[in-house]
């Protein structure tokens, strides 16, 4: 996506859900918006804890993502948080990133992968993400050398102002995958997109 374009909302499971916005700034980092930033730092909001289940793959960091139906193949960076609490995203718009505070793909819970829609002068790794359809498959190769298949069960274009936080980031009792990028129209004044594209998938092989 364009620098300054990605918007993601995260739910935090404490006594309830703390909602806050994140957006990519010009340095390629996702930063928390105020006033929720202080509460977010205090509660470690970016840690997505998997639900308990006996049906899970062992933890193994993902290294590559492929979506054959739309021609997406990308190495996966591992992204975390900066000292200020922001999430660092890949500087290269042609590479997606797995957020290390979420389960690895195949573990129980929502594994989160983000990528750019476009860059300043070129399309990004997730340019074709909005063309993914229910039933399409996603292959994830992990550092253990195994490749596993996830099947898409939902694709949504969601408003930044009404982001389905719990659906995307909430705990689940199966191995799920969420791919997130920008969508909708680009506002040249704010340098932000109006929507997010979210792909929901489930481990099937």
């Amino acid at each position: 996506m364009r620098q300054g374009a990605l918007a993601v909302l995260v739910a935090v499971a404490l006594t309830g859900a703390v909602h806050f916005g994140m957006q990519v700034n010009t340095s390629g980092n996702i930063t928390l918006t105020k006033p929720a930033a202080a509460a977010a730092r205090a509660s470690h909001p970016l840690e997505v804890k998997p639900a308990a289940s006996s049906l899970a793959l062992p933890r193994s960091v993902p290294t590559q993502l492929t979506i054959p139906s739309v021609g997406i193949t990308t190495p996966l960076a591992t992204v975390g948080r900066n000292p200020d609490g922001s999430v660092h995203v890949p500087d290269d718009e042609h590479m997606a990133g797995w957020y290390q505070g979420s389960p690895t793909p195949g573990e129980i819970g929502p594994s989160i992968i983000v990528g750019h829609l476009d860059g300043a002068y070129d399309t990004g790794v997730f340019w074709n993400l909005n063309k993914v359809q229910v039933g399409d498959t996603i292959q994830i190769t992990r550092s253990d050398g195994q490749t596993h298949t996830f099947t898409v069960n939902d694709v949504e274009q969601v408003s930044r102002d009404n982001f389905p936080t719990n659906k995307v980031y909430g705990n689940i009792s199966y191995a799920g995958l969420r791919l997130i990028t920008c969508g909708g129209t680009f506002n040249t004044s704010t340098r932000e997109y109006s929507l997010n594209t979210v792909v929901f998938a489930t481990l099937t092989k």
Side-chain angles (χ1 to χ4, degrees):
M1 61 204 66
R2 297 177 192 273
Q3 296 296 321
L6 174 64
V8 181
L9 294 180
V10 178
V12 183
L14 296 171
T15 55
V18 178
H19 295 209
F20 59 94
M22 297 192 295
Q23 64 184 16
V24 178
N25 61 29
T26 55
S27 64
N29 299 326
I30 300 176
T31 55
L32 304 182
T33 58
K34 297 179 179 179
R41 285 192 296 271
S43 59
H44 302 288
L46 301 179
E47 195 69 25
V48 182
K49 296 180 186 272
S53 173
S54 60
L55 301 176
L57 297 172
R59 185 172 180 84
S60 182
V61 172
T63 59
Q64 181 171 290
L65 175 149
T66 301
I67 311 177
S69 63
V70 295
I72 294 176
T73 298
T74 174
L76 289 173
T78 296
V79 298
R81 286 186 288 175
N82 297 306
D84 64 357
S86 63
V87 176
H88 185 74
V89 296
D91 297 324
D92 184 352
E93 65 266 25
H94 302 110
M95 176 183 290
W98 165 73
Y99 171 59
Q100 65 182 353
S102 70
T104 60
E107 286 190 292
I108 297 300
S111 186
I112 309 299
I113 295 177
V114 297
H116 293 286
L117 178 66
D118 59 7
Y121 305 103
D122 196 6
T123 57
V125 62
F126 280 164
W127 178 256
N128 287 328
L129 193 66
N130 64 350
K131 297 178 182 178
V132 171
Q133 298 182 15
V134 172
D136 287 352
T137 58
I138 301 169
Q139 275 80 51
I140 299 287
T141 300
R142 312 192 316 162
S143 59
D144 60 9
Q146 298 183 3
T147 298
H148 296 277
T149 300
F150 292 75
T151 300
V152 175
N153 51 277
D154 198 6
V155 181
E156 294 189 12
Q157 298 284 329
V158 300
S159 169
R160 291 182 55 196
D161 297 328
N162 191 28
F163 192 89
T165 308
N166 290 332
K167 182 175 182 180
V168 176
Y169 294 97
N171 285 338
I172 53 178
S173 60
Y174 58 89
L177 188 67
R178 282 86 170 93
L179 311 182
I180 306 171
T181 193
C182 294
T185 58
F186 183 71
N187 186 317
T188 56
S189 298
T190 63
R191 310 295 296 175
E192 296 174 349
Y193 280 92
S194 59
L195 303 175
N196 286 124
T197 298
V198 184
V199 172
F200 299 82
T202 302
L203 179 67
T204 51
K205 184 177 179 182

